[in-house]
Amino acid sequence: MSTTEDWNDVEVERWLIHRAVPHLIPNYSATEDIFTRTFPFLATVMLGQLFLTFTPDSRGWRQAGWFAIGLALFVAALAGVNRLRGRSLFAVPDDIGILELAAFVAVPPLLRTIATGNLGDFVTWALVNLGLLGVAYVITSYGLFPMVPWALRQVVTQISQIVDLFAKSLPLLLLFSAFLFVNAEIWQVANDIPWAYFAIVIGFIVAIGCLFISVTVRPALDGLNDFSSWDEVNELASASPVANAPTPDTALVKRPLDRGQRLNLGLLLFVAQGIQVLLVALMVAGFYVLFGLLTVREATILQWTTADTVTSYATIGLLGDEMVLSKPLVLVTGIIAAFSGLQFAVSVVTDETYRREFAEDINREIRESLAVRCRYAAGKSMAGGAESA
């Protein structure tokens, strides 16, 4: 029989967090799993906000006195909450509830208000702390920091796939984008558009692409949590901390995913497909920057844009001639790359071959995490612990 004695709970939970799927931890809770991991950040913010007691109205020893009072109040708040929780006075909290969160939100603004006598400062900084608390919760809850190195690993592992994908989609992308690139009107638009408007346009295109990618996420999760036997679960979990645990002697029971778990896994799929789209867009951008440097001369740009001058960022000498990296070339390339990425995102949604060929690795990784969740939850259940699916 497999129990939690067959592995180290901390190692299993760290393994899941490293995979950026903390919501797969059984009994995952805000007080014991999320806010406890944010404690170093929250404590650092509170200590940093002690300097809110430094105001233009206080100087010298008075300013130092307010800072000392703030530090004493911070230590007293920590000790008081620990005493109410039954912990030692200066222990690092093993669970963070409403008292600890209220202290984080209210204590620094209270110090500022005492120092300035302005009640508006309390409201302003309390809202700032509430915002920081919300951001910290989202980042920690869904493992966004572990997701960064995970995403970088995905980039490395997907490079060969993306090159293959780019080769397959290149004819269609070139047919669409080459017409835009040699069109004088888009060069006129690019020459006249301010950088702020350009950023808005690119952001709008990216938002549409994200919408198309998100459409594929929910159906992609269907079936990933289905296992035919414990043998299949064991094979998938063979590289995890539960690999050496005996096989449970109970029947394999399907554990449905709750909303938080589906959202966590959906975010992984979204990031993985987003990386593919981004790499394709960057390849298109690199192709047209090089193509434009070699083929589009400054005189041609002046003729296409009907402008008197062209903003140039760099001039590169090659084979007795000069290549000019101009603002219109950069903006035209950016617009074409964004639309190419959008076209590929639509292809991901509509073409079953793309989804089948290029989602295999990420689906395998997600199934490994789900298999570990299955083994871990079964072990905790048989050990007498509460089970959360």
Side-chain angles (χ1 to χ4, degrees):
M1 178 174 64
S2 172
T3 71
T4 53
E5 295 179 355
D6 299 318
W7 56 69
N8 186 302
D9 285 359
V10 174
E11 289 182 1
V12 177
E13 293 177 6
R14 285 177 177 172
W15 188 90
L16 291 171
I17 292 172
H18 179 72
R19 290 292 190 98
V21 285
H23 274 266
L24 296 188
I25 299 173
N27 299 316
Y28 192 63
S29 69
T31 57
E32 295 183 3
D33 297 297
I34 300 175
F35 286 123
T36 51
R37 300 210 310 272
T38 66
F39 177 76
F41 168 74
L42 300 181
T44 301
V45 170
M46 287 189 70
L47 287 172
Q49 289 185 351
L50 292 179
F51 290 96
L52 293 176
T53 58
F54 287 16
T55 66
D57 298 331
S58 60
R59 293 285 190 278
W61 287 106
R62 182 181 178 187
Q63 193 173 67
W66 280 119
F67 184 85
I69 291 172
L71 181 61
L73 187 57
F74 169 81
V75 173
L78 175 63
V81 170
N82 279 341
R83 171 65 71 180
L84 290 174
R85 295 289 190 188
R87 298 187 290 255
S88 59
L89 290 181
F90 303 109
V92 174
D94 53 6
D95 65 274
I96 295 181
I98 189 65
L99 289 176
E100 292 86 352
L101 298 180
F104 169 77
V105 171
V107 170
L110 179 61
L111 295 175
R112 173 72 178 183
T113 301
I114 293 174
T116 64
N118 185 356
L119 185 60
D121 286 342
F122 180 86
V123 176
T124 299
W125 284 102
L127 291 175
V128 168
N129 285 351
L130 281 173
L132 289 174
L133 192 62
V135 171
Y137 174 84
V138 172
I139 290 176
T140 306
S141 176
Y142 292 98
L144 298 189
F145 281 150
M147 199 173 289
V148 172
W150 177 88
L152 294 177
R153 292 196 302 272
Q154 289 296 313
V155 171
V156 174
T157 57
Q158 290 184 21
I159 286 295
S160 60
Q161 292 182 341
I162 293 301
V163 171
D164 183 34
L165 178 61
F166 186 67
K168 290 182 178 181
S169 59
L170 183 61
L172 184 60
L173 290 176
L174 288 182
L175 179 65
F176 160 76
S177 57
F179 173 77
L180 284 178
F181 189 79
V182 297
N183 191 302
E185 282 75 9
I186 193 173
W187 287 82
Q188 293 175 12
V189 171
N191 188 62
D192 294 336
I193 188 172
W195 280 108
Y197 289 5
F198 172 76
I200 293 173
V201 170
I202 297 300
F204 180 69
I205 297 172
V206 170
I208 296 175
C210 290
L211 179 62
F212 275 102
I213 294 174
S214 64
V215 170
T216 67
V217 167
R218 185 178 180 87
L221 289 176
D222 296 337
L224 293 181
N225 193 38
D226 295 334
F227 304 106
S228 59
S229 65
W230 280 117
D231 289 338
E232 183 183 10
V233 173
N234 293 338
E235 191 275 330
L236 288 169
S238 59
S240 74
V242 302
N244 297 323
T247 301
D249 54 9
T250 59
L252 180 61
V253 177
K254 181 177 180 179
R255 293 174 168 81
L257 299 172
D258 62 29
R259 181 179 300 178
Q261 292 165 346
R262 293 185 68 87
L263 182 58
N264 196 170
L265 295 174
L267 186 60
L268 278 186
L269 288 174
F270 179 87
V271 170
Q273 293 186 5
I275 289 172
Q276 293 178 352
V277 173
L278 176 62
L279 290 177
V280 168
L282 290 177
M283 286 183 177
V284 171
F287 173 82
Y288 276 108
V289 166
L290 180 60
F291 183 72
L293 287 173
L294 292 172
T295 61
V296 182
R297 321 307 319 143
E298 186 172 0
T300 304
I301 297 176
L302 290 173
Q303 182 180 357
W304 282 352
T305 60
T306 67
D308 296 328
T309 59
V310 173
T311 302
S312 299
Y313 299 126
T315 301
I316 306 169
L318 180 66
L319 301 177
D321 207 339
E322 290 185 343
M323 301 184 298
V324 178
L325 181 64
S326 64
K327 175 186 174 182
L329 174 59
V330 172
L331 296 185
V332 167
T333 298
I335 293 172
I336 291 176
F339 275 113
S340 298
L342 176 59
Q343 182 181 3
F344 174 69
V346 174
S347 298
V348 170
V349 174
T350 58
D351 194 318
E352 180 63 29
T353 302
Y354 281 155
R355 294 200 299 270
R356 183 174 61 254
E357 290 184 0
F358 299 99
E360 183 176 350
D361 289 342
I362 180 61
N363 287 347
R364 167 81 181 190
E365 187 168 335
I366 288 177
R367 281 180 61 78
E368 289 174 356
S369 299
L370 289 169
V372 170
R373 164 185 174 261
C374 183
R375 289 295 308 274
Y376 188 37
K380 291 181 73 68
S381 176
M382 287 184 291
E387 179 179 342
S388 171

